[in-house]
Amino acid sequence: TITLGDLLSEESKDLLMEVRLPSLACDGGIDPAQFELGTLKASWFDVTTSSLQSCEMVVTVERSERLPEGMEPNLQISLQRARVETVEALAEGSRLADESNFEGAREVLESCLKRLVSLVSTAQLKGDSIVSAIAQVLVADLEEAIEGTRDVDVYRTRGSKSMRMKEACRSAQKCDFTSPSSLLPEDEDEEVTRFKSGSARQRQSKALSPSYP
């Protein structure tokens, strides 16, 4: 069971699920084109009708003996996987830095950063400016975290707080709020602007917060 909490108008959440599939025999009597994973159920309170609503659907996946030619990863799914991996890297980096293992923390963060840079390059190659732009925000998060684990003084004064704030925000996708369309740059997608605005508020909050040795 996954609880999402309240959702504002036009707000969305991305749920990334990892599924293990059993091997199938060719004569197993199961149609590989419609392999059933399970049933997805959702329930919510509809404020427009002041009533509880629910729906469910059977989730299926097409399976074959070999991968189709030209098959490529879905960039939107790759982006959400990168977001989750960034959250995990920030959490592990914080844990190692708390133990004064700053070199180990940077190694974890840099490993995740390399995968994100690769995603940015792929998205740009495919012409997906939205995935590219959001992935670059995650790149900036990791670069700032790497700088924040440079040494014990930097980590204590700003790195620790910054990493934990980013971890919480990226995990819950609660780092931003919808901006009026009239305030958006003409050449920038609203989702990208919200993602950036969340990071900007974090930086402003950090700048206004006192630092302690």
Side-chain angles (χ1 to χ4, degrees), residues 63 67 105 109 140 144 165 178 189 193:
R63 304 184 66 180
L67 289 176
L109 295 168
E144 183 176 337
M165 287 177 63
T178 302
D189 181 84
T193 300

Side-chain angles (χ1 to χ4, degrees), residues 8-166:
L8 303 177
S9 177
E10 299 184 5
E11 186 180 5
S12 64
K13 295 288 185 181
D14 295 284
L15 304 179
L16 192 64
M17 301 181 184
E18 185 175 2
V19 181
R20 289 190 176 185
L21 302 177
S23 58
L24 293 180
C26 295
D27 57 351
I30 299 177
D31 182 6
Q34 294 294 323
F35 182 80
E36 185 175 324
L37 294 178
T39 302
L40 182 64
K41 300 179 181 180
S43 60
W44 67 95
F45 181 79
D46 188 343
V47 295
T48 61
T49 61
S50 297
S51 63
L52 290 173
Q53 302 289 332
S54 64
C55 68
E56 65 177 64
M57 64 178 294
V58 176
V59 181
T60 61
V61 62
E62 181 177 350
R63 304 184 66 180
S64 59
E65 294 183 11
R66 59 183 60 87
L67 289 176
E69 294 184 5
M71 186 176 183
E72 297 180 351
N74 184 298
L75 285 179
Q76 289 292 337
I77 296 177
S78 296
L79 175 63
Q80 295 309 319
R81 182 186 296 113
R83 177 180 62 82
V84 171
E85 290 178 348
T86 298
V87 170
E88 293 174 347
L90 290 169
E92 179 64 7
S94 294
R95 185 188 69 80
L96 292 171
D98 287 341
E99 298 174 354
S100 298
N101 185 356
F102 299 106
E103 182 177 353
R106 289 193 299 273
E107 287 180 357
V108 169
L109 295 168
E110 288 169 354
S111 176
C112 185
L113 178 60
K114 289 180 181 178
R115 294 192 294 273
L116 265 171
V117 170
S118 177
L119 175 59
V120 171
S121 299
T122 301
Q124 291 175 341
L125 184 64
K126 300 299 182 182
D128 195 324
S129 59
I130 296 177
V131 169
S132 172
I134 294 179
Q136 288 182 68
V137 176
L138 296 175
V139 166
D141 287 349
L142 290 172
E143 289 177 339
E144 183 176 337
I146 292 171
E147 171 61 24
T149 54
R150 183 177 59 191
D151 55 44
V152 62
D153 292 330
V154 173
Y155 182 68
R156 287 180 177 176
T157 54
R158 63 175 185 270
S160 176
K161 179 180 178 181
S162 174
M163 290 172 67
R164 283 174 169 77
M165 287 177 63
K166 292 182 183 299

Side-chain angles (χ1 to χ4, degrees), residues 11 13 83 134 137-138 141 165-178 191-202:
E11 186 180 5
K13 295 288 185 181
R83 177 180 62 82
I134 294 179
V137 176
L138 296 175
D141 287 349
M165 287 177 63
K166 292 182 183 299
E167 176 192 343
C169 289
R170 301 312 184 206
S171 175
Q173 289 185 293
K174 268 293 189 182
C175 59
D176 46 59
F177 303 90
T178 302
E191 183 181 5
V192 177
T193 300
R194 294 203 312 270
F195 215 80
K196 288 182 177 179
S197 66
S199 295
R201 280 192 294 277
Q202 280 193 340

